[in-house]
Amino acid sequence: MRLTDDEFPDDGSEFSPDGRWIYFNSERARTVPGHAQLFRMRPDGTGIEQLTSDERVNWFPHVSPDSSRLAYVSFPPGTEGHPADRDVIVRLCAADGTGIRDLAQVFGGQGTMNVHSWSPDGRSIAYVDYPVDVSHD
C-alpha cells in the first residue's frame, strides 16, 4: 500500500523496531530544492510529524533497537540529493527529533550510512568515512 502521494521526494524509510512509526526523509517542507528533513508517520500513513528543521540536508534516519534514538547523515546546506564525496555529519537525536547532537564529522555522503546501522544492543552504530589518498606526489 502506498502511504505518501505528493509532489515531493520521500526516501530512506525504515520501521521502528516497536512497529509504531515509519521514519523517512522528505523534501515536503523544503525551502529550496533538495532541502530534505526527517519525518515520521504511523504505519497506516497518518500522523506525519516533521522531526528536523534546520539549514542542513538530513537523510537516512535509522532507529535504535529500543526505538528511542535516531542516527542519520546530515549534508551541508544546499546539497541536492545524497551525493558522494562530501563533508557530512553523522548525528544522533531522540526518536521525536529532540536533542540533536553531532556524533562524527566524516568525508562521505552516499554510502556513509544508507542501511540500518545500529548494533543489536543499541550501544554502537556503524558508518563509513571515505578514505582520502594524500599520497599524490
Side-chain angles (χ1 to χ4, degrees), residues 49-98:
E49 299 176 9
Q50 185 171 349
L51 304 177
T52 60
S53 58
D54 57 47
E55 72 283 351
R56 297 190 61 85
V57 178
N58 300 311
W59 280 80
F60 306 122
H62 300 296
V63 190
S64 64
D66 67 359
S67 299
S68 69
R69 294 172 290 160
L70 300 177
Y72 63 96
V73 179
S74 186
F75 289 80
T79 304
E80 290 192 33
H82 43 96
D85 301 322
R86 298 287 191 278
D87 289 318
V88 298
I89 302 171
V90 176
R91 287 183 157 173
L92 293 174
C93 65
D96 65 1
T98 60

Side-chain angles (χ1 to χ4, degrees), residues 122-137:
R123 295 180 64 197
S124 303
I125 62 167
Y127 57 86
V128 175
D129 185 1
Y130 297 176
V132 177
D133 183 3
V134 294
S135 63
H136 293 102
D137 294 39

Side-chain angles (χ1 to χ4, degrees), residues 8 40 50-51 55 64 78 100 115-117 119 132:
F8 302 109
R40 70 181 179 180
Q50 185 171 349
L51 304 177
E55 72 283 351
S64 64
I100 295 171
V115 297
H116 181 76
S117 302
S119 64
V132 177

